Amino acid sequence: MSRSLTHDLMPRTDHDGTSRRIAVLAMKRAVGRVLQPALMNAYEKVVKPEAEAELGRPVAKSADFREALKRLELYKLWSSLNRASQHRMWAMLAEQIDADYDRIATAASTQIGVAKVEASNSFSPPDYIRKADIHCQPGGYLLDRFDGDLGAGLLYEMGGNIYALGQNIGANDSKAQRIINFIHETRPDFAPKRILELGCSAGAQTSYYPAEFPQAEVHAVDVSPAMLRYAKARADALGASVTFHLADAGDLPFEDGSFDLIVSHNMLHETAASHQEPVMRECARLLAPGGLCLHQDVAVQTDRLPPFVQFLSEWQKENNGEPFWLDYAEADIPSLLTGAGFGENSVKAHYLDQLDGPLSWYVVTAQKAA
């Protein structure tokens, strides 16, 4: 499987709709491939030398120059078009989803029900999730317009595809497949019997695990009822056997030592700093002896980034509905895992190349003592 995988729930459109998708993608690529390199060039040739002359030392962090960079007309153009392209993407996708919604809902209702959602009526999403429209997605993860609404997941999956292509990530990239390959490379005999994905959102990565480990019982959790509703329908459409749970990754309804493999994909940069430690404690509690935990996310650790790229991370928080981006970028994930009870020698940080793209993923692994 790959990110180019299609299923019956994906919105269909006509020639004009396809043209609008291409236009949004072209706008994103212009921002990323033309304006952003131009802004970096202006930083290197003008802003950085002036800042260093004023400071009397080399630029060390984005705070040394951010206000001067923000005064550039080129920055204002890049920033406004970057934000506008994100809003245009969501508006375009919402129109196309609504236009095809009756067919999508029918397709979802006629799938074979091999997946289910386990939920507690008393569950309430964490407050920090309620306060943000992540990625500027309309309604955020909790968008739920009417009974049975699939819109949140549809927007998330379609938007993620366009966003990745705009970042020059190819259609054959897959976060889950990269992690699965890594598992096979490092532990070729590993055969988990129970797997848990944390923060599965729309389920785009979830279906890889039952396909790769058909002997395993696969579970996935998320805090959004609407996202899980779509993830369930998506798994059904693909014939993937998954049990979905409405639950908080920092307070999970499972018994100690009940999973052999725990994974998360791009969850940590959507997690408030106050919630990071509880998540790691749950990983330590839930892993069986000899079990493996892997957290995969974007490689934006502040201590490894040059100052200009630190500035781009700050922009994500300030302008792109990513309130926890810096919480994650500045966190010491390996230390959080050792603090949760994993042995220091069992926790490792890795930078893994994408399967089909120019970037690397940051992956932190932890193994439970046998």
Side-chain angles (χ1 to χ4, degrees):
M1 291 192 291
S2 72
R3 194 169 49 78
S4 59
L5 181 71
T6 59
H7 48 79
D8 286 346
L9 305 188
M10 298 291 277
R12 300 172 186 172
T13 190
D14 56 16
H15 177 274
D16 289 347
T18 300
S19 295
R20 286 191 284 275
R21 292 183 190 179
I22 293 171
V24 168
L25 177 58
M27 186 177 181
K28 284 189 165 292
R29 285 178 170 168
V31 170
R33 300 182 188 182
V34 179
L35 292 179
Q36 187 166 302
L39 182 64
M40 183 174 182
N41 187 56
Y43 159 75
E44 292 286 354
K45 290 188 174 181
V46 179
V47 176
K48 180 181 177 182
E50 290 180 353
E52 291 180 340
E54 183 176 342
L55 292 166
R57 61 169 172 80
V59 163
K61 54 187 178 180
S62 60
D64 291 339
F65 63 85
R66 73 164 71 96
E67 295 308 318
L69 187 61
K70 286 182 176 181
R71 287 193 291 269
L72 294 182
E73 292 301 316
L74 181 57
Y75 165 77
K76 297 174 185 177
L77 176 63
W78 168 82
S79 182
S80 62
L81 288 179
N82 205 354
R83 177 71 179 244
S85 70
Q86 192 77 340
H87 283 295
R88 185 67 196 106
M89 178 184 76
W90 294 126
M92 177 271 296
L93 289 176
E95 292 170 1
Q96 296 188 4
I97 288 168
D98 287 347
D100 194 33
Y101 192 86
D102 288 347
R103 184 201 61 80
I104 294 169
T106 299
S109 66
T110 57
Q111 299 300 333
I112 299 172
V114 296
K116 60 181 179 178
V117 176
E118 300 288 354
S120 167
N121 291 332
S122 62
F123 177 81
S124 180
D127 285 343
Y128 74 85
I129 294 292
R130 295 179 179 278
K131 295 177 181 178
D133 287 352
I134 302 293
H135 320 124
C136 298
Q137 179 175 328
Y141 287 162
L142 301 179
L143 175 71
D144 208 355
R145 302 168 296 177
F146 49 82
D147 187 34
D149 187 18
L150 300 171
L154 288 163
L155 283 169
Y156 186 87
E157 182 168 16
M158 293 293 291
N161 287 343
I162 291 177
Y163 187 84
L165 291 171
Q167 297 293 308
N168 208 29
I169 300 173
N172 292 317
D173 191 58
S174 160
K175 304 175 189 70
Q177 190 62 57
R178 185 65 186 92
I179 292 303
I180 289 168
N181 291 355
F182 180 71
I183 292 171
H184 289 323
E185 291 162 8
T186 56
R187 294 186 61 176
D189 297 327
F190 186 59
K193 295 180 180 178
R194 296 188 85 225
I195 299 171
L196 174 64
E197 183 188 0
L198 305 177
C200 68
S201 62
Q205 307 307 314
T206 313
S207 297
Y208 285 82
Y209 291 96
E212 188 69 27
F213 301 106
Q215 79 286 353
E217 181 181 309
V218 179
H219 297 256
V221 303
D222 201 86
V223 296
S224 167
M227 285 286 189
L228 285 177
R229 189 180 303 128
Y230 177 79
K232 173 197 177 301
R234 186 184 189 280
D236 288 349
L238 294 170
S241 181
V242 181
T243 302
F244 292 93
H245 305 260
L246 181 63
D248 185 337
D251 183 17
L252 291 163
F254 305 115
E255 295 182 1
D256 294 359
S258 54
F259 292 97
D260 306 299
L261 175 62
I262 298 175
V263 298
S264 76
H265 299 288
N266 281 22
M267 180 191 75
L268 293 181
H269 79 262
E270 313 292 14
T271 303
S274 61
H275 228 60
Q276 293 169 354
E277 186 176 342
V279 169
M280 302 310 163
R281 284 202 306 265
E282 284 294 78
C283 291
R285 180 181 72 82
L286 292 175
L287 272 184
L292 185 62
C293 170
L294 301 98
H295 293 287
Q296 168 271 322
D297 215 304
V298 290
V300 293
Q301 284 58 51
T302 299
D303 59 353
R304 291 175 53 95
L305 298 181
F308 180 78
V309 185
Q310 292 178 25
F311 176 83
L312 297 182
S313 280
E314 293 173 2
W315 187 92
Q316 290 288 334
K317 178 177 179 178
E318 294 173 359
N319 298 284
N320 195 36
E322 293 284 8
F324 316 115
W325 188 277
L326 296 183
D327 288 355
Y328 160 71
E330 296 171 0
D332 186 343
I333 304 302
S335 291
L336 288 172
L337 284 163
T338 56
F342 289 97
E344 288 189 11
N345 293 334
S346 74
V347 178
K348 296 180 181 179
H350 315 262
Y351 288 87
L352 305 181
D353 291 341
Q354 293 177 330
L355 293 178
D356 186 12
L359 307 176
S360 296
W361 298 119
Y362 179 60
V363 180
V364 182
T365 61
Q367 186 171 340
K368 190 79 168 283

